[in-house]
């Protein structure tokens, strides 16, 4: 190429905004100029900020985060729903069975992406208007001094991609007019394809690519996000940049609406006819055989809101069984789509150099299907149907379950408890292991030696960011784009990769979701349930006593009673008071004040002065 051609090419690129200096300024930390500026070029000396590169040999990283999956749902953790991809990853990697989330989606996602407690990053509730409030712990706007894993890795020489559910963009910012600083690309991702909210129709999703809404193509969203993830990776590999990549793969599955092709749901026809009581017992026994739970564990009593399966009518059994067949097919289909991604990484010879984390659920199984399940909740809610009327309505439209018409499809509460086996309670219940305990799989062919083994160290979703940084050899930055960064609050799990008996290092953890709360401290746990909750409201119960100031805390020794069957509050009142005081210390430190409750949300007491 001649000098004239080079000059012409540079001029064209400058006009398009693609000069090397421009790209460098938006993707790398910019150093102060260290050269010499004279009157002429001969008297001057150039200086360039050296591009950041990932540590030599740093692996690709994939985070998979499923939505609303109970601890006992998958075959990987003793469940009866087939998840062969997760089984393979776990058999070649590690199963963490004492891993925790926050009990609800947006707080879990904010804590995961930042390595900090959800209230610390202003996501104690949601980024939705009705569920955010003008306080530091609740405004739903992650501050710039709480950098995400994507921002850190991009500044450290990675390409960064996200597909699926984001859930952390304020409603007010979610139009194509922006602002875009709280969209995924504003939080460190090079590319994004998915949806910004908490839930979406799987066939007609509120779909976004990068910084604009796009029209869905009619296929199931799981298939679309997997194709897009593969395309992001392939384009990056074809560029031969030498960079590793980070992929955040977060399908809307298995959050409602439960929508899936009949080829998947029909795999489970008749599989759940014995009902949720037998389901719980079978999964519980299987978990014992696999060593997932202690050999002397006892299954908790069925929740008082749930009928015994053998007390249901034939009509109820038929309806509730169909809900579960669809859900099971949906979960197996989701596993299949993750499998397509894994298979592609193997095909392009990147799997052996990819560190994979799979979090099977951002909280426990969902209570949001209420007692009878939901199909088209908007119609049912607008009609203010009673429980008996909703049962009649669901029976009339049973054929819609799982279809594109099931815009709010979700199983009934009895299946939520079954899917959370061996624990009590469910999603939203920050006081209960059923709300906060989810399985974690860690897979890395080059680095995991103790393949197929179980890890029982107490851990939390904020631990994945420091784990990823330690394993990739990357130091958490003091500054991101000139903004001083707050400290990381999670604890790396790398210490446990090669040592199943290593003492846990994450010793204190608080939980708070709209009134429900708990505090963990080295095996002891104090917990406060909160009412009214969603089930109270759905059951049209009036006069439910509020637990906001009630002294109804519970106390558990999780080292001896891992699934919270024996309340020790009366036996050890001093220990309970100690933990309650610790909770208040955590609350002050991490922005939990003021204690906003479901009662405040239901009665519209927040977000009033925007």
């Amino acid at each position: 190429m001649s000098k004239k051609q080079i000059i012409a090419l540079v001029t064209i690129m400058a006009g398009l905004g693609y000069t090397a200096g421009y790209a460098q300024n938006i993707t790398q930390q910019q150093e102060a100029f260290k050269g010499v500026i004279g009157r002429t070029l001969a008297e001057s000396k150039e200086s360039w900020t050296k591009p950041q590169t990932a540590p030599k040999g740093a692996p690709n990283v994939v985070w998979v985060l499923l939505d609303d999956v109970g601890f006992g749902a998958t075959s990987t953790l003793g469940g009866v729903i087939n998840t062969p991809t997760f089984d393979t990853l776990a058999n070649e990697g590690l199963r963490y069975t004492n891993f925790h989330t926050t009990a609800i989606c947006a707080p879990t996602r904010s804590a995961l992406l930042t390595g900090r407690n959800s209230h610390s990053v202003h996501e104690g509730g949601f980024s939705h208007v009705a569920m955010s409030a003008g306080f530091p712990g609740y405004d739903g706007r992650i501050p710039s001094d709480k950098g995400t894993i994507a921002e850190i890795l991009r500044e450290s020489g990675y390409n960064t991609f996200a597909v699926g559910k984001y859930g952390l963009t304020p409603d007010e910012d979610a139009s194509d007019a922006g602002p875009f600083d709280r969209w995924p690309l504003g939080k460190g991702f090079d590319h994004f394809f998915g949806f910004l909210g908490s839930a979406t129709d799987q066939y007609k999703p509120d779909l976004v690519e990068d910084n604009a809404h796009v029209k869905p193509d009619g296929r199931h969203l799981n298939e679309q996000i997997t194709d897009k993830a593969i395309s992001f990776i392939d384009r990056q590999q074809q560029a031969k940049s030498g960079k590793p990549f980070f992929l955040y793969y977060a399908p809307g599955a298995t959050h409602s609406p439960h929508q899936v092709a009949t080829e998947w749901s029909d795999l489970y026809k008749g599989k759940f006819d014995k009902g949720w009581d037998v389901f719980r017992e079978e999964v519980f026994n299987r978990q014992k055989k696999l060593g997932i739970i202690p050999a002397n564990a006892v299954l908790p009593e069925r929740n008082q809101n749930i009928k015994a399966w053998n007390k249901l009518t034939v009509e109820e059994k038929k309806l509730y069984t169909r809900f579960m067949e669809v859900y099971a097919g949906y979960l197996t289909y989701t596993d299949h789509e993750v499998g397509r991604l894994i298979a592609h990484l193997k095909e392009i010879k990147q799997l052996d150099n990819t560190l994979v984390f799979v979090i099977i659920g951002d909280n426990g199984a969902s209570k949001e299907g209420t007692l009878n399940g939901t199909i088209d909740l908007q119609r049912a809610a607008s009609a203010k149907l009673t429980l008996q009327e909703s049962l009649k309505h669901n029976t009339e439209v049973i054929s819609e379950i799982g279809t594109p018409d099931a815009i709010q499809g979700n199983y009934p509460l009895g299946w939520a408890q079954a899917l959370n086996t061996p624990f009590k309670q469910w999603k939203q219940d920050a006081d209960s292991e059923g709300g906060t305990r989810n399985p974690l799989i860690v897979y890395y062919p080059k680095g995991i030696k103790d393949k197929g083994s179980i890890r029982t160290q107490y851990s939390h979703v904020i631990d994945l960011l420091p784990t990823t940084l330690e394993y990739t050899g990357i130091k958490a930055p003091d500054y991101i784009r000139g903004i001083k960064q707050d400290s990381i609050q999670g604890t790396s799990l790398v210490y446990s990769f090669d040592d199943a008996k290593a003492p846990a290092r994450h010793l204190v953890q608080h939980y708070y979701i709209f009134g429900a709360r708990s505090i963990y401290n080295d095996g002891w746990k104090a917990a406060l349930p909160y009412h009214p909750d969603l089930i109270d409201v759905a059951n049209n119960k009036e006069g439910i006593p509020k637990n906001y100031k009630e002294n109804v805390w519970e106390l558990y020794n999780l080292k001896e009673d891992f699934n919270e069957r024996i309340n020790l509050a009366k036996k050890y009142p001093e220990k309970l008071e100690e933990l309650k005081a610790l909770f208040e210390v955590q609350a002050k430190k991490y922005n939990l004040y003021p204690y906003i409750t479901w009662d405040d949300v239901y009665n519209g007491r927040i977000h009033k002065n925007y």
Side-chain angles (χ1 to χ4, degrees):
M1 185 180 289
S2 69
K3 282 188 176 181
K4 286 185 177 181
Q5 289 173 314
I6 292 172
I7 291 171
L9 178 60
V10 171
T11 301
I12 292 169
M13 291 178 69
L16 294 173
Y18 291 142
T19 63
Y22 176 80
Q24 182 184 43
N25 284 337
I26 66 168
T27 61
Q28 301 280 358
Q29 298 286 2
Q30 189 72 9
E31 298 174 357
F33 180 70
K34 296 178 181 178
V36 176
I37 300 176
R39 185 170 180 272
T40 66
L41 181 60
E43 298 169 333
S44 306
K45 181 181 178 181
E46 290 183 276
S47 174
W48 292 92
T49 299
K50 185 178 180 181
Q52 286 279 2
T53 57
K56 186 176 180 179
N60 307 312
V61 179
V62 174
W63 284 5
V64 177
L65 175 65
L66 270 60
D67 201 327
D68 285 12
V69 185
F71 187 92
T74 65
S75 55
T76 314
L77 272 294
V80 299
I81 301 174
N82 292 325
T83 49
T85 300
F86 301 148
D87 294 352
T88 298
L89 294 175
N91 290 338
E92 293 296 316
L94 301 171
R95 288 174 176 86
Y96 281 78
T97 60
N98 200 4
F99 182 79
H100 295 78
T101 57
T102 71
I104 206 164
C105 57
T108 289
R109 290 160 196 272
S110 65
L112 171 66
L113 289 172
T114 64
R116 301 168 176 95
N117 289 298
S118 57
H119 289 79
S120 290
V121 296
H122 296 212
E123 201 75 42
F126 288 80
S127 294
H128 303 312
V129 171
M131 304 178 80
S132 57
F135 303 101
Y138 297 92
D139 63 29
R141 288 152 170 80
I142 298 175
S144 296
D145 68 337
K146 318 288 198 263
T148 69
I149 184 68
E151 290 176 291
I152 295 170
L153 292 183
R154 187 169 71 176
E155 294 292 350
S156 302
Y158 275 70
N159 286 122
T160 56
F161 313 122
V163 296
K165 175 174 172 176
Y166 188 61
L168 302 174
T169 300
D171 288 346
E172 299 92 328
D173 296 354
S175 77
D176 282 347
F180 301 106
D181 54 326
R182 293 189 176 94
W183 287 42
L185 268 61
K187 289 297 182 182
F189 290 102
D190 293 329
H191 290 292
F192 171 74
F193 181 83
F195 60 101
L196 301 178
S198 294
T200 195
D201 189 314
Q202 294 295 291
Y203 290 102
K204 298 177 181 178
D206 185 18
L207 198 58
V208 164
E209 182 160 11
D210 292 343
N211 279 347
H213 285 79
V214 295
K215 187 175 181 179
D217 63 14
R219 295 180 299 152
H220 197 286
L221 184 58
N222 276 2
E223 182 179 357
Q224 293 184 61
I225 67 168
T226 305
D227 284 352
K228 191 62 72 168
I230 289 171
S231 73
F232 288 159
I233 292 168
D234 283 352
R235 286 187 342 211
Q236 190 256 9
Q237 292 292 302
Q238 290 163 8
K240 298 186 184 302
S241 65
K243 290 183 175 184
F245 64 81
F246 168 68
L247 171 65
Y248 176 50
Y249 181 99
T254 54
H255 194 289
S256 64
H258 299 162
Q259 296 167 309
V260 69
T262 53
E263 67 180 282
W264 296 100
S265 59
D266 284 354
L267 294 173
Y268 291 95
K269 275 192 172 181
K271 299 291 186 183
F272 306 112
D273 289 354
K274 294 179 182 179
W276 47 57
D277 293 321
V278 171
F279 180 103
R280 291 181 74 213
E281 292 172 359
E282 290 181 348
V283 170
F284 189 73
N285 291 332
R286 191 175 291 111
Q287 288 172 334
K288 282 189 177 182
K289 289 179 182 178
L290 292 173
I292 301 296
I293 62 176
N296 63 350
V298 176
L299 185 65
E301 294 293 323
R302 186 191 324 106
N303 184 281
Q304 62 182 0
N305 285 308
I306 300 169
K307 291 181 181 179
W309 185 262
N310 62 14
K311 300 294 185 182
L312 299 177
T313 66
V314 172
E315 185 180 64
E316 287 172 321
K317 289 178 180 179
K318 179 181 177 182
L319 175 66
Y320 298 164
T321 298
R322 185 55 187 157
F323 273 113
M324 190 57 183
E325 291 170 355
V326 166
Y327 176 76
Y330 191 25
L331 181 53
T332 296
Y333 169 55
T334 302
D335 176 271
H336 166 78
E337 287 299 319
V338 176
R340 281 212 300 131
L341 172 65
I342 297 298
H344 186 74
L345 292 175
K346 185 175 183 179
E347 180 183 340
I348 63 174
K349 297 180 170 53
Q350 288 296 315
L351 183 59
D352 285 348
N353 191 41
T354 300
L355 174 62
V356 181
F357 296 89
V358 181
I359 306 173
I360 304 181
D362 55 359
N363 42 244
S366 171
K367 68 169 71 173
E368 291 149 11
T370 69
L371 292 175
N372 289 330
T374 54
I375 302 173
D376 48 0
L377 186 61
Q378 292 172 342
R379 273 190 279 164
S382 65
K384 296 182 179 180
L385 303 182
T386 66
L387 286 173
Q388 197 59 39
E389 288 169 339
S390 73
L391 178 63
K392 180 176 183 294
H393 173 77
N394 285 351
T395 301
E396 290 171 349
V397 295
I398 188 173
S399 62
E400 292 183 8
I401 298 174
T403 71
D405 292 327
I407 56 174
Q408 296 287 343
N410 204 351
Y411 48 61
L413 192 63
W415 287 121
Q417 180 163 32
L419 291 165
N420 278 337
T421 303
F423 301 112
K424 301 184 300 181
Q425 308 305 339
W426 24 63
K427 175 182 178 180
Q428 301 182 14
D429 293 328
D431 55 292
S432 172
E433 296 291 290
T436 64
R437 197 144 160 175
N438 289 89
L440 168 69
I441 299 169
V442 180
Y443 169 89
Y444 185 42
K446 286 186 177 180
I448 300 297
K449 299 174 184 177
D450 196 12
K451 300 181 187 301
S453 62
I454 292 171
R455 295 292 182 268
T456 59
Q457 289 88 351
Y458 186 91
S459 50
H460 188 268
V461 68
I462 61 175
D463 297 339
L464 258 62
L465 183 148
T467 302
T468 299
L469 295 186
E470 180 179 347
Y471 209 84
T472 55
I474 294 170
K475 180 181 178 295
D478 294 326
Y479 291 85
I480 293 178
R481 297 190 182 184
I483 298 173
K484 183 76 169 69
Q485 293 296 293
D486 196 4
S487 59
I488 303 297
Q489 295 163 4
T491 302
S492 172
L493 293 172
V494 173
Y495 75 90
S496 64
F497 281 11
D498 295 331
D499 189 354
K501 297 182 179 179
R505 296 182 182 179
H506 192 137
L507 300 179
V508 177
Q509 183 59 48
H510 67 271
Y511 300 85
Y512 185 89
I513 298 295
F514 293 127
R517 67 201 78 170
S518 61
I519 181 75
Y520 171 88
N521 185 16
D522 195 17
W524 285 92
K525 178 178 176 182
L528 178 69
Y530 184 79
H531 295 284
D533 66 6
L534 181 70
I535 297 304
D536 299 324
V537 173
N539 287 349
N540 299 314
K541 291 183 179 178
E542 300 292 342
I544 297 293
K546 299 176 179 60
N547 289 349
Y548 182 57
K549 293 183 179 179
E550 297 282 334
N551 188 21
V552 290
W553 282 80
E554 300 167 357
L555 178 67
Y556 299 99
N557 181 351
L558 296 185
K559 290 183 179 179
E560 299 178 359
D561 176 29
F562 82 105
N563 57 352
E564 304 172 312
R565 294 181 52 255
I566 305 169
N567 181 3
L568 300 173
K570 292 182 179 179
K571 186 174 183 178
Y572 300 113
E574 298 87 359
K575 187 66 177 180
L576 178 59
E577 292 304 316
E578 173 191 324
L579 289 174
K580 287 168 61 178
L582 179 59
F583 184 85
E584 294 301 318
V585 171
Q586 297 274 296
K588 291 177 184 177
K589 183 177 180 180
Y590 294 116
N591 291 344
L592 273 66
Y593 290 171
Y595 290 144
I596 296 173
T597 69
W598 281 119
D599 191 55
D600 297 323
V601 174
Y602 298 145
N603 288 285
R605 300 189 187 113
I606 56 176
H607 212 116
K608 298 176 73 69
N609 301 315
Y610 184 78

